[in-house]
Amino acid sequence: MQPKPPTKPTLDGLERKWADRWARSGVYRFDRTRPRVEVFSIDTPPPTVSGSLHLGHAFSYTQTDVIARFQRMRGRAVFYPMGWDDNGLPTERRVQQHFGVRCDPSLPYKPAFEPPEWPSRQPIAVSRPNFMELCSQLTMEDEQAFEAVFRRLGLSVDWSLTYATVGEQARRASQRAFLRLLAKGLAYQADAPTLWEVDFHTAVAQAELEDREVEGMSYRLRFAGPEADGAVEVETTRPELLAACVALVVHPDDGRFAAMQGRTVRTPLFGAEVPVLAHKLAEPGKGTGIAMLCTFGDPTDLVWWRELKLPMRPVLDPDGTIRAVAWGTPGFECADPAAAQRAHDQLAGLPVGRARERVAALLRQAGALAAPPARVTQTVKFYEHGSQPVEILTSRQWFVRTISLKQALLVRGTELSWHPEWMRSRFQNWVEGLSADWCISRQRFFGVPFPLWYPVTEDGAVDHDHPLVPEETRLPVDPSTEVPAGYLPADRGRPGGFVGAPGVMDTWATSAITPEIAGGWEDDPDLFARVFPMDLRPQGHDIIRTWLFYSLARAHVEHGTVPWAHAVIAGWVVDPNRRKLAKSRGGGLTPGDVLERFGADAVRHWAASKRAGVDTTLDEGQLRVGRRLATKLLHAARFVLTLDGPAATEATEALDRAMLAGLAGVVDEATAAFEAYEPANALEAGEAFFWTFCDHYLELVKGRAYGEAGPAGQASAVGALRLALDTMVRLFAPVLPFVTEEVWSWWRDGSVHASPWPEGGPLRAATGVEGPTPLALEAATAVLTEVRRAKTSAKQSLRTPVARVEVTDHPGRLAALSEAAGDLRRAGAITDLALLGPTDTPTVKVQLGT
């Protein structure tokens, strides 16, 4: 026997009650016996485990969950895993700050190491194994906190399908994927100019950069011209790289410099001869129209250097300081090596900011500044998690060939269904503008190591060209502690022995195969066949260039397909300054704050009401609307379920038929919206109907539902009300899982979330007539609204009797009103309802009194 509705229903306590029951019942557990055609699989974004979740996570993950719940109600077995992205720079940075440590791979492991209770300004150096343990400890704590928030939010994740990007399964899949890229010639190692993050001392990828506006200074330098008394003026914001200058560049069509092209000039301070060359990327209208090409100041320098086939003159060290060089040696030839060395010695060892100030002073003393420095605002490339501009340094790194795949990946992009469609152009623009292969190696520690060793020749040199590769069955391996086949531990580092590959893979190298990791690629072929390619990739628009692009590339190479059918791109939650909410900035409300104040269903309503791809702010007014909706659903359900009397299976009254016909249309509209991955439209349609149902239909039929019009009229009302409630509870279930489960439990067995999605057919069948329309309800609502308005204007109670109401309207509406006249009289306390002749101008005249 089902419990009766409580006397005073409340939202309080529903989240804990139902989250606990869902966990025990396993209602969201994936049924892996179902064939692929009956499965809906989701490549859930693994959140970065480094701190706390922010409201943007609650926003985007709710939008995914709404789709998952709809698909489950449509009869699909929903594969809905959760991953934790716990490797990479953000995690290491958090561990360093939290424990006050730094990793030193040269140190031995301390089995009983305990970090300091209070981190000091000078971090303690620890071994790599100790550092890895601290990373694992902190990420495990964060993962538990993340899961608690997601459960409270009502995510219908199958928590038995959780993985971590440093877990054994993920490491095995990442290393396997890398070795297969290597075998196909798509992964290669090279000493090459690389984007470099000076704070973390690691390479980064082009896709991980972001533009930031910074204040700086522009300097106008005099280069000694081709004539003895001539000079060439060049504007630059990076005079500290003057020693790295290898050319000046002008536009080929700029007549001002036509005579200079192909000739040489000498750099100030250092006296190095550099050519004046032409390239189409030079900007005649920028500065003096002639640019200083240094190795390397920015990505444009890199393009010029490659295409103009210039030498390299590096002057930056990996820590972002000016390198000590010997002027007069090969690569640093100049007219007066002693003078150049004196100038350079004053810069060596300085960080770029201080070197910039010092070289400006030297230029001023030498009379090589053509004008006083001017303040400028410039756009500079930063690593997305960094605080210093990226530099371009030469180092040995691993790359994946992506430039050669551009056209193939553009085609793959057309095979995806994009929601919203206009996000497709962001992907296309990124691929078309790609200028470098993907650098996947990082000079860090907490991540997936490269599964390789390098032979050491008898003369002690490391042979990078012939790596030692393990069998796939041995994966995952850690080359820093394990030994390649045919060698002994004592062979590590000695001539004739081996060394382990240094560094780890970029976190995106693992995240790019989340469909494979979650789906059990190679480890569980049966599962993989049921879920891959997946149906849905939900993600933010800021990582189209990283996560989506890389995932598409890896699936194209390994499987010859796209990794999913649909990509739903979420917008950001932004602060009042329109900046994306981010854990690194802090200072904002957490999901826990908002969940505590408004409840999970209200937060979900706010998130689900926003369309894909559109940025939004936290709207407390919208949160209050969501809570009011959930509360109203409780009370409306209690009213319907406490009505006594029989319930007819077929509506006999016009108002009931009109209501059910209108609801059938809403169900059709909501279903179409969900199928099109537009749940906001489904919620909008359902919510609009619900408020009309509560504010008007319930008031119109309340008297008849209580039996005031006889048994037949009561049975029609009660039957229609219960059918409508059954439908609306299921209609709202994806968005409001807690309150709908509570209401469902008052009179239904099982979970509403395992019940079928509503259909319009049964609603239309219950009207008992062919093609009913909502006209009777619309017309009666319009008249009742005017009656209420008249009472309110007269400052009278809504129960105040009305002597007479005169209605003129179109013939069809008058006919519909006549069928609903009894309900209208009872609801408005109307003594005389006069439906007058048809007119093109509808009017309602209300005369109060008895």
Side-chain angles (χ1 to χ4, degrees):
M1 181 177 179
Q2 295 297 325
K4 292 183 178 180
T7 304
K8 294 182 179 180
T10 177
L11 299 177
D12 297 338
L14 294 188
E15 291 157 23
R16 180 182 296 275
K17 170 184 175 180
W18 288 110
D20 290 346
R21 293 192 188 183
W22 292 334
R24 291 195 303 270
S25 68
V27 65
Y28 305 129
R29 193 165 296 139
F30 173 61
D31 181 1
R32 63 174 295 160
T33 67
R34 303 273 289 278
R36 179 64 185 93
V37 70
E38 296 177 6
V39 169
F40 185 86
S41 50
I42 303 172
D43 184 17
T44 316
T48 301
V49 184
S50 57
S52 60
L53 296 170
H54 58 70
L55 275 175
H57 293 102
F59 178 76
S60 60
Y61 282 80
T62 293
Q63 292 183 334
T64 303
D65 185 66
V66 167
I67 295 172
R69 288 180 176 276
F70 166 76
Q71 292 291 344
R72 192 178 289 110
M73 295 179 73
R74 291 287 276 178
R76 309 284 287 278
V78 176
F79 181 75
Y80 191 8
M82 178 62 72
W84 307 121
D85 190 6
D86 44 13
N87 65 1
L89 294 181
T91 298
E92 291 196 18
R93 178 174 60 183
R94 173 163 158 72
V95 169
Q96 290 167 353
Q97 295 171 346
H98 184 83
F99 291 112
V101 299
R102 64 178 179 83
C103 184
D104 183 346
S106 67
L107 295 177
Y109 174 64
K110 291 184 178 180
F113 174 76
E114 290 289 339
E117 184 177 356
W118 300 103
S120 65
R121 291 187 177 181
Q122 294 298 323
I124 297 174
V126 298
S127 70
R128 181 175 182 269
N130 287 125
F131 187 74
M132 297 282 282
E133 287 178 351
L134 293 176
C135 289
S136 297
Q137 174 186 331
L138 198 57
T139 53
M140 186 175 298
E141 294 173 4
D142 288 343
E143 287 164 12
Q144 292 171 352
F146 282 23
E147 180 176 335
V149 172
F150 282 150
R151 284 183 181 272
R152 184 173 182 183
L153 188 61
L155 297 193
S156 59
V157 165
D158 182 345
W159 291 103
S160 69
L161 300 174
T162 305
Y163 66 89
T165 55
V166 290
E168 181 178 342
Q169 178 186 355
R171 284 183 284 121
R172 180 165 50 251
S174 297
Q175 292 183 342
R176 181 192 305 120
F178 169 78
L179 292 180
R180 293 189 181 183
L181 289 172
L182 185 63
K184 294 174 182 177
L186 293 174
Y188 66 94
Q189 194 175 192
D191 282 309
T194 308
L195 295 164
W196 189 266
E197 216 294 322
V198 296
D199 284 341
F200 289 104
H201 296 187
T202 183
V204 295
Q206 178 186 357
E208 296 174 293
L209 303 185
E210 64 182 24
D211 290 334
R212 300 181 195 171
E213 285 194 350
V214 298
E215 299 295 324
M217 303 293 290
S218 178
Y219 303 84
R220 182 169 289 201
L221 281 55
R222 288 194 181 97
F223 283 64
E227 305 298 332
D229 58 348
V232 176
E233 295 185 1
V234 179
E235 279 195 12
T236 180
T237 58
R238 302 211 61 181
E240 73 277 10
L241 296 182
L242 179 60
C245 180
V246 293
L248 299 185
V249 183
V250 300
H251 194 276
D253 300 329
D254 193 336
R256 294 174 296 174
F257 307 109
M260 294 185 61
Q261 294 181 27
R263 306 184 71 177
T264 61
V265 296
R266 291 192 306 278
T267 61
L269 296 184
F270 303 105
E273 287 201 0
V274 297
V276 179
L277 303 174
H279 194 280
K280 61 184 179 180
L281 291 183
E283 301 179 60
K286 184 176 181 179
T288 63
I290 187 166
M292 182 173 76
L293 192 172
C294 302
T295 53
F296 296 96
D298 59 32
T300 304
D301 282 348
L302 186 55
V303 174
W304 285 339
W305 171 79
R306 283 174 175 157
E307 296 187 4
L308 297 175
K309 296 180 172 55
L310 292 166
M312 190 181 297
R313 190 173 290 160
V315 299
L316 281 183
D317 276 331
D319 62 356
T321 60
I322 301 298
R323 174 183 297 178
V325 301
W327 283 91
T329 60
F332 287 89
E333 297 87 353
C334 62
D336 186 348
Q341 195 67 52
R342 285 194 298 272
H344 195 91
D345 287 346
Q346 298 184 59
L347 306 175
L350 294 179
V352 290
R354 290 176 57 194
R356 187 175 303 140
E357 296 172 356
R358 183 60 185 146
V359 78
L362 294 175
L363 289 165
R364 189 179 301 108
Q365 294 170 10
L369 284 182
R375 292 192 176 278
V376 294
T377 300
Q378 57 188 136
T379 301
V380 179
K381 300 289 185 184
F382 282 74
Y383 169 58
E384 58 190 353
H385 299 296
S387 60
Q388 298 293 326
V390 295
E391 300 291 355
I392 301 176
L393 305 180
T394 298
S395 57
R396 176 172 287 276
Q397 304 291 342
W398 279 100
F399 298 86
V400 171
R401 300 186 193 277
T402 48
I403 297 295
S404 60
L405 299 177
K406 286 172 67 170
Q407 290 306 312
L409 294 179
L410 286 170
V411 172
R412 290 295 183 200
T414 65
E415 297 173 12
L416 283 179
S417 294
W418 293 78
H419 311 278
E421 169 62 29
W422 51 268
M423 284 292 179
R424 185 191 305 274
S425 63
R426 294 200 181 188
F427 171 79
Q428 293 172 334
N429 292 340
W430 168 254
V431 177
E432 290 169 352
L434 202 62
S435 60
D437 284 336
W438 176 17
C439 176
I440 64 166
S441 48
R442 298 292 180 268
Q443 286 61 58
R444 301 305 299 173
F445 313 104
F446 190 58
V448 179
F450 288 91
L452 301 171
W453 299 265
Y454 301 117
V456 179
T457 63
E458 293 299 336
D459 61 1
V462 177
D463 181 2
H464 291 99
D465 296 328
H466 301 91
L468 305 171
V469 179
E471 296 291 331
E472 284 191 5
T473 54
R474 189 180 167 186
L475 302 177
V477 298
D478 184 348
S480 70
T481 58
E482 298 179 55
V483 176
Y487 291 82
L488 298 173
D491 296 330
R492 187 182 295 273
R494 71 169 181 80
F498 70 93
V499 294
V504 296
M505 296 184 203
D506 168 25
T507 185
W508 292 113
T510 297
S511 296
I513 58 169
T514 51
E516 289 86 348
I517 295 169
W521 172 50
E522 299 286 349
D523 290 341
D524 191 341
D526 176 76
L527 175 64
F528 195 65
R530 296 177 194 274
V531 302
F532 187 88
M534 293 194 173
D535 294 276
L536 174 62
R537 157 61 72 84
Q539 66 163 74
H541 54 73
D542 54 322
I543 51 175
I544 289 174
R545 70 187 193 277
T546 48
W547 194 31
L548 191 146
F549 170 72
Y550 293 148
S551 298
L552 209 64
R554 299 295 285 272
H556 168 76
V557 169
E558 180 61 37
H559 309 290
T561 184
V562 291
W564 353 263
H566 298 269
V568 175
I569 310 300
W572 288 344
V573 178
V574 296
D575 63 18
N577 296 317
R578 306 303 296 177
R579 296 185 309 170
K580 177 190 178 185
L581 291 187
K583 289 181 290 185
S584 58
R585 295 194 184 101
L589 287 174
T590 66
D593 298 326
V594 182
L595 288 168
E596 190 66 32
R597 291 179 59 196
F598 298 97
D601 281 339
V603 174
R604 293 174 62 92
H605 177 271
W606 160 69
S609 67
K610 309 303 179 184
R611 285 164 175 76
V614 178
D615 295 345
T616 189
T617 56
L618 176 65
D619 184 349
E620 292 199 2
Q622 185 72 34
L623 289 167
R624 283 188 284 271
V625 168
R627 187 167 180 85
R628 178 171 170 256
L629 173 65
T631 301
K632 189 68 173 181
L633 183 57
L634 282 178
H635 292 292
R638 183 183 182 279
F639 167 74
V640 172
L641 295 177
T642 53
L643 288 172
D644 293 325
T649 57
E650 183 178 297
T652 58
E653 298 289 331
L655 217 55
D656 304 333
R657 290 171 173 168
M659 182 274 293
L660 294 175
L663 182 54
V666 169
V667 168
D668 291 345
E669 184 179 351
T671 303
F674 265 115
E675 295 287 7
Y677 292 85
E678 296 174 348
N681 291 349
L683 175 60
E684 183 178 358
E687 193 172 359
F689 177 87
F690 176 76
W691 287 115
T692 295
F693 175 86
C694 292
D695 294 344
H696 304 297
Y697 176 73
L698 284 183
E699 294 303 316
L700 283 163
V701 302
K702 186 179 294 184
R704 180 156 50 85
Y706 283 140
E708 295 176 8
Q714 181 183 29
S716 178
V718 173
L721 285 165
R722 290 183 181 175
L723 180 56
L725 177 64
D726 176 280
T727 301
M728 288 187 293
V729 168
R730 287 183 288 150
L731 201 62
F732 283 128
V735 176
L736 310 174
F738 294 101
V739 69
T740 53
E741 189 77 302
E742 174 70 9
V743 169
W744 191 261
S745 72
W746 292 346
W747 97 109
R748 293 285 193 241
D749 292 323
S751 171
V752 67
H753 305 298
S755 65
W757 179 253
E759 296 181 359
L763 293 165
R764 293 186 176 92
T767 64
V769 296
E770 186 70 26
T773 69
L775 193 57
L777 181 56
E778 292 176 7
T781 295
V783 175
L784 183 60
T785 299
E786 292 302 319
V787 170
R788 288 172 169 173
R789 183 178 291 117
K791 293 180 181 180
T792 301
S793 297
K795 298 182 180 180
Q796 297 292 313
S797 166
L798 293 181
R799 295 188 180 92
T800 300
V802 176
R804 182 177 174 83
V805 174
E806 296 179 355
V807 182
T808 62
D809 209 328
H810 301 289
R813 289 173 66 86
L814 287 176
L817 266 178
S818 68
E819 293 185 289
D823 289 328
L824 183 55
R825 289 192 190 95
R826 281 185 292 273
I830 302 169
T831 302
D832 184 11
L833 177 63
L835 305 180
L836 306 180
T839 178
D840 292 333
T841 307
T843 62
V844 178
K845 294 181 180 179
V846 180
Q847 179 184 339
L848 298 180
T850 58

